Amino acid sequence: LRGIRLLLKEKDLFRNQVKALLQVSSSGQIKIMVPFITETREFVQAKEFIQQVADEMGVKPPPIGAMIEIPSAVFILEELIEKADFFSVGTNDLFQYFCAVDRNNSHVSYRYRPNTQSFISLLSLIYEKTKNCGKEIEICGEIAADPSILSILLNIGYKQFSINPYSLENVRENLAKRFSMDADK
């Protein structure tokens, strides 16, 4: 019971979180990401709830996006494109649920290799389904900090990444090397 499932069950918690987000949204610098989407209905319920709270507060809600981190969400992307303002591919959970590998479980964590062909194909499929929708799509998760996978993601077409700040300098260095090598070719 997590993500949108928890929030739709615990409406007071959801309301408090939305209120807090809307109070700081006047700066225009935030977006609201709805996690753990498995059905379009869940996303619509969340978006309607956020709009209701915004109406009560007399404010306009910021952009509301869908986190693609459950494999079933990939198969409703066409519907979500009509409803969501943006997308983020949550690669940590997506890999875990797609490949049945919990990276925090010592018995199977050695199998946490997100550069497998099947997972890269899934990321390619997601990009192909969303690339022409006119909405932002970003990669969220630790894989973008891995230079070899980052290169693959760039080749697929992804251009926006959310990574841990401690990885940023390493990523910058590797991107600089990649683009200087590309320029030499």
Side-chain angles (χ1 to χ4, degrees), residues 21 28-35 37 43 47 50 61-69 73 76-77 79-90 126 130-131 133-140 158 160 162:
L21 289 168
Q29 298 297 317
I30 73 161
K31 300 183 286 187
I32 296 177
M33 175 68 64
V34 182
I37 296 295
F43 182 79
K47 193 169 183 179
I50 293 166
I64 302 168
M67 178 72 90
I68 307 303
E69 59 189 331
I76 59 167
L77 271 173
E79 296 172 20
L80 288 174
I81 285 170
E82 301 300 318
K83 309 291 184 193
D85 297 322
F86 64 96
F87 298 96
S88 183
V89 182
I126 293 168
T130 58
K131 71 179 179 183
C133 73
K135 299 179 181 182
E136 290 181 19
I137 180 160
E138 72 174 24
I139 293 286
C140 178
Y158 288 101
Q160 295 182 351
S162 173

